[in-house]
Amino acid sequence: YQVNIIVSGHDHAFMRTYPMIGNELDPTGKGPIYLTLGAGGNREQHTAGFIHKHQEPWVAKRDNDEYGFGKLFVANATHARFRWVRDGTTRAGVQDDVW
């Protein structure tokens, strides 16, 4: 399908993968990146924890202890930039930045 990025939510946390092919890391770096954006805040608080205590090898960045939001800037037909921004309750500012 030539998909470059997959965006989903509801996990009450933030996570970005490295490029994937099926259930594996894509050694060419051309597979899609998965973004889970669910830390905008709600009455249920953050997710209680991730399945694994330590970050998995296919995960580039994850965060379940701070509220925040994502910004996706599509520069042109071949380039986009994503930023994960904490809302400032403890550490404000950009915490993840990838082209």
Side-chain angles (χ1 to χ4, degrees):
Y1 295 104
Q2 299 181 348
V3 173
N4 297 319
I5 191 168
I6 298 165
V7 181
S8 64
H10 185 68
D11 200 27
H12 300 205
F14 164 70
M15 185 173 70
R16 176 177 58 86
T17 70
Y18 291 110
M20 303 291 292
I21 185 81
N23 291 327
E24 304 289 329
L25 289 170
D26 182 355
T28 69
K30 295 180 180 180
I33 293 172
Y34 291 78
L35 297 172
T36 302
L37 305 171
N42 72 6
R43 68 181 179 274
E44 297 169 349
Q45 306 301 318
H46 297 288
T47 188
F50 292 102
I51 293 173
H52 300 102
K53 181 178 179 180
H54 300 287
Q55 187 167 299
E56 298 86 345
W58 44 270
V59 175
K61 179 79 173 176
R62 71 181 194 179
D63 178 357
N64 72 332
D65 67 353
E66 187 71 52
Y67 295 115
F69 57 93
K71 290 182 172 183
L72 180 63
F73 170 69
V74 180
N76 56 42
T78 61
H79 290 81
R81 181 180 193 179
F82 174 78
R83 293 175 134 191
W84 169 248
V85 184
R86 288 180 179 245
D87 76 349
T89 54
T90 59
R91 293 184 294 166
V94 175
Q95 299 295 312
D96 192 25
D97 191 347
V98 64
W99 277 91

